Amino acid sequence: MSSLFSLLALPAVALATFTVNDPSDVIPPSDWAADNAIVPDYNTPFISVQPSDILAAYVFENGSTTVSHNTFTVDANDTSVILVADGADLGLSHVDVVKYGYSSNLLQASFYGFNAAINVANASTATIKNTNITVHNGAANVYAYGTDTVVYVDNSWLYSSGPVSHGLYASGNGTIIGRNLQHYSGGHRSSSFSGDSPKGDVFVYDSVAHSSGIGSATYYALGTIYAENVLSRSDNGPVVFMDGTQNATLINCDATAGLLGGVAIFSSAVRTSGATLTLRDTKITTLGDTMPGLWFGNTIIDVTLENAQLVTSSGVLVVANYSQITQDFDYYASYADNSALQPAEVSMTVKASTLTGDLVAYNGSSISWTLNDYSTWTGAAYSGYGDVSFDVALDRHSTWTLANTTTVQNLTDSDSTLSNIVGNGYTLYYNASAVLSQWLNGTTVSLTGGGSAQPI
Ligand SMILES: *[C@@H]1O[C@H](CO)[C@@H](O)[C@H](O)[C@H]1NC(C)=O
Ligand SMILES: *[C@@H]1O[C@H](CO)[C@@H](O)[C@H](O)[C@H]1NC(C)=O
Ligand SMILES: *[C@@H]1O[C@H](CO)[C@@H](O)[C@H](O)[C@H]1NC(C)=O
Ligand SMILES: *[C@@H]1O[C@H](CO)[C@@H](O)[C@H](O)[C@H]1NC(C)=O
Ligand SMILES: *[C@@H]1O[C@H](CO)[C@@H](O)[C@H](O)[C@H]1NC(C)=O
Ligand SMILES: *[C@@H]1O[C@H](CO)[C@@H](O)[C@H](O)[C@H]1NC(C)=O
Ligand SMILES: *[C@@H]1O[C@H](CO)[C@@H](O)[C@H](O)[C@H]1NC(C)=O
Ligand SMILES: *[C@@H]1O[C@H](CO)[C@@H](O)[C@H](O)[C@H]1NC(C)=O
Ligand SMILES: *[C@@H]1O[C@H](CO)[C@@H](O)[C@H](O)[C@H]1NC(C)=O
Ligand SMILES: *[C@@H]1O[C@H](CO)[C@@H](O)[C@H](O)[C@H]1NC(C)=O
Ligand SMILES: *[C@@H]1O[C@H](CO)[C@@H](O)[C@H](O)[C@H]1NC(C)=O
Ligand SMILES: *[C@@H]1O[C@H](CO)[C@@H](O)[C@H](O)[C@H]1NC(C)=O
């Protein structure tokens, strides 16, 4: 898929397309279609602590070891190529790691790194440089488990086929820091950069990432996600999945999403509060005709967009819904899946950004939308279903151009004449009793371009 990433520059007379390669250009996913068709079975026995009998062909458990210019390989189920444990330290450079073999227990693979090509556990550390980690049949490339486990992966190639084959995968408080990576995964539930329960922190810089399977995002936040200068594409997932109260920050990233939403952020059980998402100098493009730029369900979250772009063909910038994403990862769930669902409450601060598209809330959900620092928004806000609530606030250097009639609760504007709200002939209804709308004294204010702001 060499036409994968097209960076289009559109000057007046010339059209230039630059192609960025990822590992799927070298090992075609079609060669491994059977692996990539495996749908993970999660009805397997769960064990509550990481067992010490993680099988691996090469075990480093004693002190510090460095290895360069070597090849490590294994072809066995539920068996890692390399295990680093008991506080050991491993340095790899110019190494090839080749792994075959299936996972018979995908919970153990997810929570403890069984079958991962490289599994670093229990306050151990690893520095992996100039290394090629190619796996088939379903295996994470690099797994980090345990408090004080820290793994650095630099200048490396990460390829996988098969399910639950995340590129960088951290759990049990482990941390992975990746730089200059090229990643491709073809299987289901194989995000490029992923944390898992209870928490794993993943930092990634200057990398290219491509995931193809359903349930595979570029980033899966269970713990901290921090990304800088990453060009990515998730063919059948969002850029970010986040479950619960996590923190994801994308700086100077260019990311494309093919399913659900540009981000799909939710609580998978009871609604939680305190999640954060920051997109700075970052562009998210969604491919599907109905995909929103940002999707939130059953969560309470603060979002900051700073010099951010959301490019959608749906015309929907943000959805707040009483919904979540299930383990199938391919639809917006209803009460049939989780009877405890609650509305999403989304607080967004937009800085120095130009955004076009609508805000849509469902059944009790709310979006609070603040435009600061020379932001401009062209769009409307409306209910997808039931009673919903929108608050809009503008500083004096930001502008809102209405694209339809809109009803808000709180309307705050540092320009008390509302001259920075362009009506375009539409009516902006506000709730004169809402705390932050009371300053308008229930008056009707004419808007530039026609239309007016008036009490409900
Ligand atoms: C990590 O430590 C825990 C707690 O001591 C232990 O249960 C587990 O077996 C250890 N894991 C490995 C891979 O040695
Ligand atoms: C650990 O390494 C030290 C120093 O090389 C060695 O003396 C000791 O036998 C090793 N222990 C094990 C269990 O391999
Ligand atoms: C490895 O797993 C595959 C897929 O589940 C299975 O077909 C095969 O029999 C297993 N091999 C062994 C040696 O257990
Ligand atoms: C990594 O290894 C795979 C499998 O051996 C190979 O096909 C690929 O070309 C290698 N990638 C690089 C960048 O060397
Ligand atoms: C992760 O951190 C929590 C909170 O500090 C701690 O309770 C838990 O034991 C840690 N888990 C591991 C696997 O280190
Ligand atoms: C989220 O992570 C960013 C970057 O690491 C950090 O600056 C910010 O303080 C974090 N926010 C929260 C609420 O933890
Ligand atoms: C909203 O949530 C409902 C279920 O609660 C679901 O049926 C619907 O598809 C969702 N729509 C969007 C756009 O999220
Ligand atoms: C809307 O939310 C309420 C709870 O606030 C719930 O009882 C109702 O079933 C929801 N509507 C639909 C269509 O799901
Ligand atoms: C404006 O909203 C109305 C009512 O929801 C809808 O029928 C119409 O298509 C919208 N117009 C535009 C331009 O989006
Ligand atoms: C207006 O705001 C008041 C005060 O918060 C609230 O009680 C009322 O229900 C709101 N009215 C509408 C129509 O949303
Ligand atoms: C308006 O904003 C205030 C202050 O943030 C908040 O308490 C209130 O719930 C919002 N909505 C209404 C309808 O007043
Ligand atoms: C609302 O009334 C107060 C007090 O009379 C006045 O100072 C203020 O300018 C009025 N606001 C608007 C938007 O007319």
Side-chain angles (χ1 to χ4, degrees):
M1 270 209 283
S2 48
S3 62
L4 186 59
F5 297 106
S6 289
L7 302 179
L8 291 178
L10 292 167
V13 290
L15 176 75
T17 300
F18 298 90
T19 298
V20 174
N21 289 99
D22 72 77
S24 70
D25 297 308
V26 178
I27 305 179
S30 54
D31 290 358
W32 295 92
D35 272 9
N36 294 334
I38 297 171
V39 177
D41 174 9
Y42 273 77
N43 293 317
T44 52
F46 178 67
I47 41 172
S48 60
V49 292
Q50 186 185 45
S52 57
D53 59 349
I54 290 177
L55 293 177
Y58 302 89
V59 178
F60 298 87
E61 289 183 323
N62 189 13
S64 204
T65 310
T66 58
V67 179
S68 61
H69 301 283
N70 216 325
T71 296
F72 295 98
T73 183
V74 76
D75 183 354
N77 293 355
D78 301 308
T79 305
S80 289
V81 183
I82 291 173
L83 173 66
V84 188
D86 292 349
D89 173 64
L90 177 65
L92 294 181
S93 69
H94 300 280
V95 163
D96 288 320
V97 177
V98 182
K99 159 103 185 87
Y100 295 90
Y102 298 82
S103 216
S104 65
N105 184 319
L106 290 169
L107 290 180
Q108 291 183 1
S110 295
F111 296 128
Y112 304 117
F114 278 58
N115 207 47
I118 300 180
N119 188 343
V120 185
N122 280 357
S124 300
T125 53
T127 302
I128 299 164
K129 293 183 174 172
N130 300 94
T131 288
N132 179 335
I133 308 172
T134 296
V135 305
H136 296 292
N137 313 145
N141 293 110
V142 179
Y143 192 91
Y145 183 86
T147 302
D148 297 330
T149 293
V150 182
V151 181
Y152 297 90
V153 187
D154 294 353
N155 287 294
S156 292
W157 143 299
L158 310 173
Y159 180 96
S160 70
S161 62
V164 198
S165 304
H166 307 275
L168 304 181
Y169 197 10
S171 179
N173 313 324
T175 300
I176 309 188
I177 299 130
R179 289 179 192 275
N180 294 304
L181 305 178
Q182 292 184 66
H183 171 263
Y184 176 79
S185 66
H188 289 252
R189 305 172 68 118
S190 301
S191 296
S192 300
F193 310 114
S194 182
D196 211 332
S197 194
K199 168 172 131 56
D201 296 332
V202 181
F203 301 79
V204 58
Y205 304 82
D206 307 324
S207 294
V208 170
H210 179 196
S211 60
S212 287
I214 290 171
S216 308
T218 302
Y219 311 98
Y220 199 117
L222 264 165
T224 298
I225 290 288
Y226 180 89
E228 217 176 285
N229 299 320
V230 177
L231 178 62
S232 73
R233 175 164 167 138
S234 170
D235 296 338
N236 282 294
V239 177
V240 179
F241 273 128
M242 180 190 291
D243 185 355
T245 308
Q246 320 298 344
N247 179 3
T249 306
L250 275 57
I251 313 277
N252 200 26
C253 290
D254 185 339
T256 300
L259 196 66
L260 295 173
V263 306
I265 292 183
F266 56 94
S267 315
S268 59
V270 172
R271 182 178 70 176
T272 63
S273 173
T276 57
L277 171 71
T278 300
L279 305 177
R280 187 185 309 148
D281 304 324
T282 283
K283 176 180 175 184
I284 287 183
T285 303
T286 62
L287 299 177
D289 288 346
T290 60
M291 283 175 69
L294 307 175
W295 186 95
F296 305 95
N298 198 36
T299 189
I300 300 177
I301 185 167
D302 285 321
V303 180
T304 304
L305 304 185
E306 190 171 346
N307 188 30
Q309 299 176 59
L310 299 175
V311 181
T312 69
S313 46
S314 65
V316 178
L317 282 179
V318 181
V319 166
N321 201 348
Y322 65 116
S323 180
Q324 68 166 75
I325 306 299
T326 70
Q327 294 292 303
D328 293 325
F329 291 111
D330 60 358
Y331 66 96
Y332 309 126
S334 70
Y335 287 109
D337 293 292
N338 178 0
S339 59
L341 287 176
Q342 288 188 271
E345 295 178 13
V346 181
S347 288
M348 298 198 52
T349 302
V350 177
K351 301 176 189 172
S353 301
T354 297
L355 298 172
T356 300
D358 296 332
L359 314 180
V360 190
Y362 291 76
N363 202 18
S365 296
S366 63
I367 299 173
S368 166
W369 181 250
T370 298
L371 299 170
N372 284 341
D373 301 342
Y374 299 87
S375 290
T376 67
W377 172 41
T378 303
Y382 61 88
S383 166
Y385 171 78
D387 288 336
V388 302
S389 162
F390 299 102
D391 290 346
V392 173
L394 295 91
D395 73 359
R396 72 178 61 253
H397 296 297
S398 296
T399 307
W400 174 15
T401 300
L402 272 75
N404 209 336
T405 295
T406 294
T407 300
V408 303
Q409 295 293 322
N410 286 307
L411 177 63
T412 317
D413 193 339
S414 336
D415 178 342
S416 62
T417 66
L418 309 188
S419 73
N420 54 350
I421 301 180
V422 179
N424 253 345
Y426 295 114
T427 304
L428 166 54
Y429 292 103
Y430 68 90
N431 181 348
S433 310
V435 183
L436 300 179
S437 296
Q438 287 170 6
W439 66 282
L440 284 158
N441 300 332
T443 54
T444 294
V445 182
S446 297
L447 300 176
T448 7
S452 63
Q454 55 180 268
I456 297 171

